[in-house]
Amino acid sequence: MTVLLAGIQFVWTVELGYGTPYLLSLGLSKPLMTLVWMAGPLSGLLIQPIVGRLSDKCTSSLGRRRPYIIGGAAFVITSVILIAYAKEAAVAMARIAGLSDDNSGVPGSDYQSF
């Protein structure tokens, strides 16, 4: 359990240290940044009781908590990797949605003249 908590603290340290400058470099305004930082505590407030209730009823051969710990760790790792490539993912989604027709690769850049 101590190793798990140390891992969570490490992720929070990285997020708090590099998160704000990275989000600002993506063009997120400071007022919207407060919503980003508020999303974590709010999701924890809503999701933790649900996951706790589900894990209490879990009958896995791994135990009641271990499947959720493994799944949560995989989700956090995937999320951190996706955050690292957020700009590229946004450009790819904009191209798929047809919001970026030019070669600049910036989502919505062809609509900036409006």
Side-chain angles (χ1 to χ4, degrees):
M1 190 66 145
T2 303
V3 173
L4 176 68
L5 292 174
I8 291 171
Q9 290 301 319
F10 176 75
V11 170
W12 271 109
T13 302
V14 170
E15 182 179 348
L16 291 173
Y18 293 105
T20 300
Y22 183 69
L23 292 172
L24 287 173
S25 74
L26 292 176
L28 193 66
S29 66
K30 287 184 180 181
L32 287 177
M33 188 135 354
T34 59
L35 294 176
V36 170
W37 290 119
M38 199 169 67
L42 284 179
S43 65
L45 181 70
L46 298 174
I47 298 299
Q48 285 178 355
I50 295 169
V51 171
R53 173 106 180 187
L54 291 173
S55 71
D56 286 343
K57 295 181 179 184
C58 183
T59 58
S60 171
S61 62
L62 295 174
R64 292 190 320 181
R65 307 283 187 240
R66 200 169 292 136
Y68 290 91
I69 292 171
I70 293 168
F75 181 74
V76 167
I77 290 168
T78 304
S79 298
V80 170
I81 291 170
L82 287 175
I83 288 170
Y85 295 102
K87 194 169 192 176
E88 291 83 2
V91 169
M93 284 190 271
R95 286 189 181 146
I96 291 170
L99 298 176
S100 179
D101 294 331
D102 62 350
N103 292 328
S104 71
V106 178
S109 63
D110 49 343
Y111 299 106
Q112 288 180 353
S113 61
F114 292 119

